[in-house]
Amino acid sequence: MEKEGQLKSTICRLIALSFITILYGCNTIAPVVRTNITVFYTDQYSPRGTIAVVASDVSVNNSLEWAAYKKKFEAKFADNGYIIEQDPNNARFIALVAYGIDNGETAIVSTPIYGHTGGGTTTTTGTAGNVNYTATSYTMPTYGVVGTATSSQTEYTSAIALDIVESDSMKEDSPNKVYEGRAKSTGTCSVIVEVFDEMLEAMFTDFPGENGRNRKIETPSINNC
């Protein structure tokens, strides 16, 4: 009887350990950055020819942050058929880039708490006539949600805008835009530099993408948020 009880106790512990392992594994899935990509372009658009990358906001053109982002854009354009030109006056196209992150919105988040909900070994004692007895029963233990915990979480929205125009038309009142791309991502990271690479990767996935459609792309992420 004692050995049977020990065996059942061991089984319970193993099942509980397996359940905890499953929960722990679910919480350690590699993080991803989820980005919404929307693009529009003309029917004649084709990623070819010379292109110069400049910031839409002229005030950042001399910043080291923009210099780093510019190189990343140039590498993506080169991988997708363009020839990079540093002087906008000598390029057929100009890529105008804007980027930014908001101040965030805070919300209350509920998180389920998992635990033991029933089953296992049950011991019952009593008296039948003049005889005292002890009975032990065992049912498969069950686990599930036993409560919730609440916490506040702030989410930030990062955005990248990319417009490609014909350089000659920039001298006119209405520049001829041939491509318009928008990337937006919302998450707990409060600095755009930690999600910029993932958003850029999403923006250039299957470039130029399906005209007039929105795509949701998940990109594996390693960040310091």
Side-chain angles (χ1 to χ4, degrees), residues 47-66:
R48 65 182 63 178
T50 54
I51 191 168
V53 180
V54 300
S56 296
D57 183 358
V58 295
S59 66
V60 304
N61 272 319
N62 292 324
S63 75
L64 295 178
E65 180 184 19
W66 164 244

Side-chain angles (χ1 to χ4, degrees), residues 11-223:
I11 293 174
C12 287
R13 287 197 297 268
L14 289 173
I15 293 174
L17 180 61
S18 298
F19 182 77
I20 293 172
T21 302
I22 291 172
L23 288 179
Y24 181 79
C26 289
N27 290 327
T28 56
I29 296 174
V32 297
V33 172
R34 297 176 176 85
T35 308
N36 280 289
I37 305 294
T38 304
V39 299
F40 294 90
Y41 47 84
T42 63
D43 293 336
Q44 296 77 27
Y45 173 73
S46 178
R48 65 182 63 178
T50 54
I51 191 168
V53 180
V54 300
S56 296
D57 183 358
V58 295
S59 66
V60 304
N61 272 319
N62 292 324
S63 75
L64 295 178
E65 180 184 19
W66 164 244
Y69 295 159
K70 178 181 177 181
K71 288 182 179 179
K72 295 177 187 294
F73 264 99
E74 289 175 341
K76 288 298 184 183
F77 279 125
D79 288 341
N80 284 277
Y82 282 104
I83 299 172
I84 306 304
E85 174 59 60
Q86 295 301 323
D87 186 350
N89 293 317
N90 297 328
R92 180 183 177 188
F93 298 101
I94 296 177
L96 299 167
V97 178
Y99 54 89
I101 187 170
D102 67 8
N103 294 322
E105 293 186 0
T106 301
I108 301 300
V109 180
S110 295
T111 304
I113 299 174
Y114 296 92
H116 180 254
T117 58
T121 301
T122 302
T123 302
T124 304
T125 61
T127 302
N130 296 323
V131 179
N132 296 326
Y133 69 88
T134 299
T136 301
S137 61
Y138 175 81
T139 57
M140 185 68 70
T142 57
Y143 302 90
V145 178
V146 296
T148 57
T150 59
S151 61
S152 62
Q153 178 174 295
T154 302
E155 293 197 333
Y156 303 85
T157 298
S158 299
I160 299 175
L162 169 63
D163 293 323
I164 301 177
V165 300
E166 293 182 341
S167 59
D168 289 343
S169 68
M170 291 291 287
K171 302 173 185 178
E172 304 172 2
D173 293 336
S174 299
N176 185 25
K177 185 187 299 185
V178 297
Y179 173 94
E180 178 180 289
R182 300 292 182 265
K184 184 173 72 172
S185 179
T186 300
T188 56
C189 203
S190 61
V191 285
I192 193 172
V193 67
E194 291 297 336
V195 295
F196 191 92
D197 288 348
E198 291 83 355
M199 293 177 66
L200 186 63
E201 181 67 28
M203 178 172 272
F204 279 89
T205 297
D206 298 326
F207 187 83
E210 187 176 355
N211 193 10
R213 302 286 295 181
N214 177 75
R215 294 181 295 160
K216 296 181 179 180
I217 299 177
E218 294 187 353
T219 309
S221 174
I222 300 177
N223 58 55

